[in-house]
Every structure is written in C-alpha cells, then in structure tokens.
Amino acid sequence: MNQFQYTRVTTPKAAVSALSQENGTYFLAGGTNLIDLIKREVVVPERLVDINKLPLATIEKTSTGLRIGAMAKNSAVADHDLAKKHAPLLSMALNAGASAQLRNMATVGGNMMQRTRCPYFYDPSMPCNKRSPVQAGPDKGQPNGPSGCGAIGGINRMHAIFGTSNKCIAVHPSDMCIALVALDATVNVSGPKGDRKIPFGDFHRLPGDAPQKDNTLLPGELIMSVDIPTNKFADNSHYLKVRDRASYAFALISVGVAVDMKRDTIQDIRLAMGGVAHKPWRLTEAEHFLRGKPATEANFKQAATIAMNGAKGYGENDFKLTLAPNSLIDALKTATKTA
C-alpha cells in the first residue's frame, strides 16, 4: 500500500488551492477510474483531494441552453428531464456507458478526465509513452515503466484509426464526451489564474509528441460545469454504440448524430465518433457535406466516405475501417428516421 495524504474540501477555491500546492495531487470524485489506476500503480498519488462536497451538481436551464455541474452524477444527468428534452443525445450516450452502478458514482467532470483503457497503459511492465513519457525527468514527471508504444505492432484491436502518432495510438474511452463534442458544449473551468471557457472540441488532445497529456487543462484547474447551447436536435438524435457485449463494454465504434430536419432535408447536423481517436472525433467535413441535402442513403454513403479521410489501421483494428463508415450510415438512417 502506497502512503498518501487525504484532504476533503468544500469550496472550489479550496480545491484549486489544494491541487496547486504540490505535484502528485489528484482530485477524487466518484473514483471509478482513479481507484483502478491507483490499484494498478499506474498512478501513485502523494495526496488525494476529495471534492464530493463541492456544490457543483446542479442541472439547470439557462438563457443560452443547458448547464450541467461537474459533480453531477452520470445517472442523474441521463435521467434528468432537462437533458432528455433539450439534449437527448447526451442522455442516450450516458446510458450506453459503463454499468448502472458505475453511472451512479461517476461524475460529469470525472467522465471527461478518465484515462484510456489501453492494456499497455494499465500494465507498468509494458512499454507506454502515455504512462512513461520519453521526456520524463525531475521537472516532467518520473517514469513509470518502460517507454514506447506496445500497441503499435502489438495487440491493438481497440485502438485508434484517426489522429494517431508514432508515440501513441490509444483511444479516449468516454461515451458522454462524444455527445458533448457533437453538441458544441463549452467547459467552464476555474484555476489559480481565474476562470476560463474551453470549447469542448479543444478540451481533449491528440497524442502528438506528448501522449501523456490528455487534455488542455492548466495546472491547478478545476472543471466547474459544462454548457450545452440551445439547439433544434431534440427530435432527430441517435447514439449508436458497437461493442463486444450489450453492456459494460467500451466501444469498438460509437457514433453520435444530432440533426435538424425540415421535411426530408437536413437543415443542420452534428456528427462525432468514439473508439477511433485519442479524443472525441468530430466529423466536420461530413457535416458540411450533408447540410442542405436530402436525407438519403446515397448522401449518407458519400458522407461516410468523406468521414473516413485520413483513417489508418494498425493490423488488428483494420476492421474499424469498414465498421466505422457502416456505423455512421446506420446511425444517420436512425436519427433521420429513414431506416
């Protein structure tokens, strides 16, 4: 058992202050991912800051849309009338994730911060640049096991086909985040330098040369809430999750579709994929192609071809190059009620 300090805070200001005091400090909310990481010794904390008493669990309608507190439980958001009415895609995605027990514990902020489930990342005896970056050192974090990317040339059935680098091909595991990036959400954070807003599409990072960095939070920052702007997608939304079993499994491919329809014409559309990249993968070029066009299978097939530009398989995950576009077409048919 590794020894660590435990602190409980009751205000966001105290939380930010506690996180900023020393390296090796982690926020503890639902703990559904962090506790696993500690058990595997992927994370060896010096200090845990319990933020469960923070007053950040509100789900409310605002003048510009919907605001969801970072401490709101996944199950509470999924079942909330405001979410089901104004952001049904989010409700669908949340209910597709994990298990009922985990959704009752997991928070919105924690869901955003969860780490990849790549088996090489979870095993300190295996090479992983995310867990043990090459540039590790006194000022950049101590290495935890060998560096490298074991998934490249190794077991990579679950891994990325978009936005990869020669340092990492891991995928982001969240379902909720696919819906939030599709809905153009904004993340509200607070830190030592004050408050700021981060477009959800900019919150998570691609691996590049620094795969150990999952997101664009600055040191000491705390997620306060997420804003979803008012939209016209309530009647035509669908979240499709393709996985090895019906529940408690991460996506091989997931697709979030939100459409504003006028008769059979697509007025506006949002598309995102999960299970394919180091971050929630927005399909902006496919969106541009479909806007103003009839909701037909022919158009959906062209959009799927566009969406796959730049995709690359790594051996065991080559099947995703076919599964991803087929899943997108299927999700589009369901959302537009043309199936």
Side-chain angles (χ1 to χ4, degrees):
M1 177 68 183
N2 294 302
Q3 300 294 314
F4 57 84
Q5 298 179 25
Y6 171 86
T7 304
R8 178 178 290 167
V9 295
T10 57
T11 66
K13 183 177 180 180
V16 169
S17 176
L19 189 64
S20 304
Q21 286 178 12
E22 57 185 292
N23 292 328
T25 300
Y26 295 84
F27 286 142
L28 174 65
T32 57
N33 184 210
L34 179 60
I35 300 304
D36 285 343
L37 293 170
I38 293 173
K39 287 178 178 179
R40 299 288 189 94
E41 297 189 338
V42 175
V43 168
V44 183
E46 297 289 333
R47 186 184 191 194
L48 294 181
V49 179
D50 188 334
I51 57 174
N52 282 288
K53 297 295 184 181
L54 297 186
L56 299 176
T58 303
I59 304 168
E60 60 185 350
K61 190 79 171 67
T62 68
S63 60
T64 57
L66 188 63
R67 173 164 290 182
I68 302 170
M71 293 300 297
K73 302 295 188 183
N74 286 187
S75 56
V77 178
D79 296 335
H80 201 284
D81 288 342
L82 287 175
K84 290 189 287 188
K85 180 179 179 180
H86 299 286
L89 180 63
L90 176 60
S91 182
M92 295 176 200
L94 283 166
N95 278 323
S99 65
Q101 295 91 334
L102 287 171
R103 293 193 295 270
N104 284 336
M105 289 297 296
T107 62
V108 168
N111 192 314
M112 293 166 57
M113 294 294 292
Q114 66 178 303
R115 310 298 304 274
T116 183
R117 295 320 197 276
C118 173
Y120 295 97
F121 173 71
Y122 265 76
D123 185 349
S125 71
M126 300 300 289
C128 176
N129 290 318
K130 178 178 284 295
R131 187 192 63 248
S132 302
V134 174
Q135 66 269 41
D139 299 321
K140 298 179 181 178
Q142 295 299 321
N144 183 2
S147 297
C149 180
I152 297 177
I155 298 171
N156 53 41
R157 180 172 178 269
M158 300 292 292
H159 287 70
I161 57 174
F162 290 113
T164 58
S165 75
N166 61 1
K167 297 288 196 299
C168 181
I169 61 171
V171 297
H172 191 267
S174 174
D175 293 291
M176 178 194 78
C177 292
I178 307 307
L180 289 175
V181 76
L183 294 171
D184 285 324
T186 299
V187 185
N188 302 305
V189 303
S190 183
K193 297 182 179 180
D195 300 339
R196 68 185 182 111
K197 297 179 181 293
I198 308 172
F200 203 90
D202 295 334
F203 182 83
H204 296 97
R205 300 177 71 258
L206 291 177
D209 291 328
Q212 73 276 18
K213 297 180 181 179
D214 289 342
N215 56 63
T216 56
L217 284 176
L218 300 176
E221 286 189 323
L222 169 71
I223 302 170
M224 301 289 286
S225 61
V226 175
D227 290 336
I228 300 174
T230 301
N231 60 70
K232 298 179 180 180
F233 302 137
D235 292 335
N236 297 95
S237 294
H238 183 61
Y239 187 75
L240 173 65
K241 184 174 183 179
V242 183
R243 46 188 163 174
D244 287 324
R245 57 180 182 265
S247 67
Y248 197 40
F250 294 102
L252 295 168
I253 297 289
S254 63
V255 182
V257 179
V259 190
D260 175 18
M261 297 283 293
K262 186 174 183 180
R263 298 185 181 89
D264 65 344
T265 300
I266 297 171
Q267 296 291 102
D268 198 6
I269 188 167
R270 301 287 187 273
L271 302 171
M273 271 189 187
V276 296
H278 195 261
K279 62 183 289 184
W281 194 252
R282 183 76 176 265
L283 304 175
T284 52
E285 291 184 7
E287 292 173 3
H288 294 326
F289 171 78
L290 287 170
R291 285 193 186 99
K293 290 185 171 62
T296 64
E297 184 170 359
N299 283 332
F300 296 161
K301 287 181 176 179
Q302 282 189 258
T305 299
I306 293 169
M308 295 305 293
N309 286 339
K312 175 186 176 182
Y314 285 85
E316 290 188 357
N317 71 345
D318 287 353
F319 70 94
K320 290 189 178 186
L321 300 176
T322 301
L323 181 61
N326 288 344
S327 298
L328 177 58
I329 293 166
D330 189 52
L332 281 164
K333 287 180 180 179
T334 302
T336 58
K337 301 177 173 62
T338 56

